[in-house]
Amino acid sequence: RKEVEQDPGPFNVPEGATVAFNCTYSNSASQSFFWYRQDCRKEPKLLMSVYSSGNEDGRFTAQLNRASQYISLLIRDSKLSDSATYLCVVNRGARGSARQLTFGSGTQLTVLP
Amino acid sequence: EPEVTQTPSHQVTQMGQEVILRCVPISNHLYFYWYRQILGQKVEFLVSFYNNEISEKSEIFDDQFSVERPDGSNFTLKIRSTKLEDSAMYFCASSHRGGLNQPQHFGDGTRLSIL
């Protein structure tokens, strides 16, 4: 089983749509969870950290379900500028590897005019 | 907003040559990292560095690789004898503290092409 698994997409949605991405992780010892976005051939940029209680940042809402080892990202009122690859990122969690981030392969989103 | 900066943006090197990739982490950050991304693949952890020593490294980070903080600002990744499969985008990252929930901030990368 992959350490971090995401649906690769692509998701093609019209402007203004709501879109949701899901991610599962295999290491129950993981303690830190993030969503990054990556534009084509650019660096990963932090979108938001994900907390157990769920958190929201403007149009973006992240949820974490530790029991199911599942993370989600909801984007409301999507904009053209939201077009990117969304990376689910988890720390490895094990002693001696706590700061290693493990990246999913990403979900590609294209927002259409 | 403070940024992680990396140089060069693109490095072309003959197989077997040594290459040094440079990074200037965000100034008040204490933890530094190198990741790589082979074209079309996911981002992979290489190494983390704190208090002038390696704190964690992956299976990829073998004896061909080394890291150094030669002065108070630069953080370098050296590959001693490059192979074709070292061709990738190399990202430097830094984080403020070592707490597990501290996000890592990435530089814009060095594209390494091995001929």
Side-chain angles (χ1 to χ4, degrees):
Chain A
R1 184 180 170 186
K2 289 182 186 174
E3 287 190 74
V4 179
E5 199 148 2
Q6 297 181 250
D7 179 348
F11 284 61
N12 298 317
V13 303
E15 262 186 296
T18 295
V19 62
F21 304 136
N22 303 318
C23 166
T24 56
Y25 61 95
S26 61
N27 187 349
S28 59
S30 295
Q31 298 172 51
S32 306
F33 310 92
F34 308 94
W35 284 100
Y36 281 74
R37 65 171 279 169
Q38 186 174 32
D39 294 292
C40 188
R41 297 166 89 86
K42 300 282 190 183
E43 77 274 22
K45 287 188 177 172
L46 178 69
L47 184 65
M48 58 197 303
S49 302
V50 186
Y51 302 116
S52 295
S53 53
N55 48 301
E56 189 173 304
D57 183 1
R59 299 182 291 110
F60 300 86
T61 301
Q63 297 279 351
L64 168 65
N65 184 323
R66 285 185 187 267
S68 305
Q69 294 178 204
Y70 171 93
I71 306 164
S72 66
L73 176 69
L74 184 78
I75 305 175
R76 288 182 299 278
D77 187 24
S78 47
K79 313 287 184 197
L80 296 176
S81 56
D82 294 334
S83 297
T85 297
Y86 288 82
L87 305 174
C88 178
V89 181
V90 172
N91 83 311
R92 288 198 78 178
R95 189 178 177 82
S97 62
R99 291 182 190 83
Q100 294 184 35
L101 295 183
T102 300
F103 284 74
S105 299
T107 299
Q108 188 181 337
L109 171 68
T110 301
V111 180
L112 304 167
Chain B
E1 189 177 318
E3 292 181 338
V4 176
T5 56
Q6 291 186 242
T7 55
S9 56
H10 191 189
Q11 174 80 47
V12 182
T13 302
Q14 291 286 335
M15 187 172 62
Q17 295 296 305
E18 175 183 286
V19 65
I20 297 175
L21 310 183
R22 291 183 167 81
C23 169
V24 179
I26 295 172
S27 62
N28 62 347
H29 284 191
L30 301 176
Y31 286 79
F32 315 118
Y33 313 87
W34 284 100
Y35 291 81
R36 79 171 186 191
Q37 187 175 29
I38 294 169
L39 188 64
Q41 298 187 24
K42 59 185 180 180
V43 178
E44 300 173 291
F45 171 82
L46 294 177
V47 65
S48 64
F49 192 86
Y50 169 70
N51 201 25
N52 282 319
E53 61 182 24
I54 291 173
S55 52
E56 299 171 16
K57 61 182 181 179
S58 72
E59 307 78 31
I60 302 168
F61 194 88
D62 62 21
D63 292 343
Q64 293 291 96
F65 291 88
S66 62
V67 289
E68 196 177 34
R69 188 156 162 83
D71 53 42
S73 58
N74 289 287
F75 178 51
T76 62
L77 174 69
K78 182 193 289 187
I79 309 174
R80 276 189 201 87
S81 178
T82 49
K83 308 184 194 66
L84 293 176
E85 54 265 36
D86 294 328
S87 295
M89 195 76 165
Y90 287 80
F91 294 110
C92 175
S94 67
S95 62
H96 184 206
R97 294 185 294 271
L100 295 177
N101 288 321
Q102 289 294 310
Q104 296 175 21
H105 298 272
F106 286 75
D108 58 4
T110 292
R111 182 172 305 283
L112 179 62
S113 300
I114 307 300
L115 305 178

